[in-house]
Amino acid sequence: MIKDRLTELNKAGIKKGDVIIALILVLASFLALLYSPGSSDSTEKYAILYHKGEEIDRINLDSIDNPYEKPYILNGLKAIIRYEKGSAAFIYSDCRDKLCIERGQIKGQADASVCLPLNLVLIIEGGEREKDMDAVVY
Amino acid sequence: MSKRSKPSSKSITTFAFVAVILLLIVIVTDIQGGKKAYGKSSSAMGASVFLTLCGGDEKVADAMIEAVKHLDSDCLSPTIQGSDVFNLNANSGQPLKVNAETADVLKKAVEISKKSDFTLNIALGQLIRLWGIDGDNPRVPSAEEIEAALNTADMSRIFIDGNTASIGAGQLIDLGAVGKGAACDIAAETAKRLGVKAASISVGGSVTFVGQKSVSGLKSLFGGSELLWSVGIRDPFGSVNDTFASVKVGPVSISTSGNYEKYFEENGVRYHHIFDPKTGYPSDSGLVSVTVFSDSGLLSDALSTVAFVLGYEKSLPILKEYSAEAVFVFPDKTVRVTDGIKESITITDSEFTLI
C-alpha cells in the first residue's frame, strides 16, 4: 500500500527522498518539542543582591570554581554572603533575628533569602527549578 | 478570450503536500511557543519579586516591576518618606490627597475589614510599633500599653473620598496585611494592559497567575492538565525551601499567613507578627498557617490574615462570602481544605495528613 502511495506521489513530482526528508524534519521537530527544557528553565544561574529594591551585586554562580565569602556594609550594618558554584547563602548579618542565615543556601530558580532589617534581598535567577512547580506560596 | 486551464492532479497533490508540512511546522512552533517564557526577578516591598511571562518581554517585565515599586514607595510603604501612608501617618487627623492606587487599596481594605467584623484591621500601626517585631528590640508590652494602642485602632476613623483620605488623630495605619497581594494585582493589571496572556507573579510569597499556563490552544491536544499552573505551599514547620502540598490552579491569586515568617521568642513562647485586633496579642486560633485562593491578590492576602486570626470554623463563612478557597494547617500536621480545592490538591509530604 505504501509503495502504491509513493508511486502516486512520484507521479505527482514528489520523489521518495523528498518524503523521507519531510518525515525526518517533522519527527525531529516533535522530538525537539519533547526534550527541549524551554528557555526559562535552563539559563546561566546568577545570585542577585538587592538593597532597598536596587540591584547592588550580581554574581554568576556557574563560573565559581572556589567558594568565597563577600562582605557588604550598608548603612553601617554588615552582612556576609558565601558564594559557591550554583548556590549562595547569608552566613553573617548584623540583624537581630538571623532569619536570613537560618534560610541557608539558596540554589533553585526563583529562590530567595531576605534580610529585612538590613533591607537586603538575595535571589537566584536562571538555572533549573528545584521543584516541578510554577511558584511557591509562603 | 483565452480558456483557463484546469489545475493538474500533480499540482494539487504538490500543493496539498506542502500545505500539510507547513501546518505541521506551525503546530510544532505554536506548541513550542507556549513553552517559551520570559523570566525576571527583582526586589520591592522588602521582598523578592519573580515574574514569568508567556508572550511578554523585558519591557513588559520592567513595567510590571515599576508598577510594584510605585505602589510601594509612592503609596503604601509606612517607612518611605513621601509615600501616601507615610504622609497620612505623619499628618493623622488631616485629609490628604493620595494616589488613586492608595485610595483603591484603602477602600478595598476597609470593605473587607467591615465584612470581617474588623478582624482585618489596617489601623493597628501603634500596636505593631509597640511590639516591634520587625525591629531590633521586640518585646511583650504591658496590658496597659496594649489597651492604649488598641484605643487608636478604630477603623471607623478612616475616611476615603475620591482620592482624598484621612485617618484619626494619633492613629497609624499599616497595610502589611494587604500590600503584597495588592502588588500582585497591580503587576497583573500591567501585564494584561500590555498584552500578556499568561504570567506567574510572585511578590514576597504572594502569588498571582494570569491566564492559563500555556498560551497555545493547540497544547490542549496533549491534555487539559497542561493548562493549569502548579503552586506549592510552604511547609510551615520546615525551611523556606520545603513544601508540603501542591495545587493545580487556573488564573487565581494565592496568599499564605503563618506564624513562622516573623516572630521573636521570650521565655520559650513564640510571639509572631499577626495580631488579633480584639486582644492586641498575636493571634492564637489553633492554626499554623492558612493559604487562601481567590480572584484578587489583595483579597487573598487580606483573607489569609482574617482566616489565620479567626481559625478554621469561624473563617468559613467569610471565605464562602468571597467565593474563596483555603488550605488550613494545624499544629499536628493535619490539613483541612475547603470543598472547592479537594480535587486539585496533592499532599507531597507524607508527614502531613489531609482530613
Side-chain angles (χ1 to χ4, degrees), chain B residues 33-67:
Chain B
K35 287 180 89 178
K36 282 179 186 168
Y38 177 78
K40 177 127 185 162
S41 51
S42 186
S43 171
M45 294 189 160
S48 54
V49 177
F50 295 105
L51 309 173
T52 305
L53 311 178
C54 303
D57 57 16
E58 187 171 11
K59 278 185 181 173
V60 176
D62 286 345
M64 292 166 73
I65 288 167
E66 277 309 304

Side-chain angles (χ1 to χ4, degrees), chain A residues 9 11-14 19 22 26 29-30 32-33 36 39-40 48 50 53-54 96 99 102-103 105 110-112 114 116-117 121 123-125 129 131-138, chain B residues 10 13-14 17 21 24 28 31-32 35 37 41-43 46 48 50 52 69 133 135-136 138 200 204-205 213 229-232 234 240-241 243 246 254-256 260-262 264:
Chain A
L9 287 169
K11 280 180 187 169
I14 297 167
V19 175
V26 171
S29 303
F30 275 104
L33 166 70
S36 167
S39 63
S40 67
I48 306 172
Y50 294 90
E54 298 299 321
R96 169 188 59 80
L99 290 175
E102 279 179 32
R103 173 77 173 83
Q105 277 188 334
D111 272 356
V114 177
L116 205 54
V121 177
I123 62 165
I124 301 290
E125 189 172 275
R129 279 195 180 277
K131 296 184 172 74
D132 186 23
M133 292 168 182
D134 297 299
V136 173
V137 61
Y138 54 88
Chain B
K10 179 180 167 182
T13 312
T14 306
F17 183 76
I21 295 298
L24 285 170
V28 170
I31 294 167
Q32 274 289 79
K35 287 180 89 178
S41 51
S42 186
S43 171
S48 54
F50 295 105
T52 305
K69 288 189 174 182
I133 289 179
D136 287 333
S200 162
K213 184 174 179 179
W229 302 93
S230 176
V231 62
R234 181 187 160 174
V240 184
N241 290 324
T243 55
S246 68
I254 313 146
S255 279
T256 293
Y260 50 82
E261 187 93 319
K262 297 177 200 167
F264 73 99

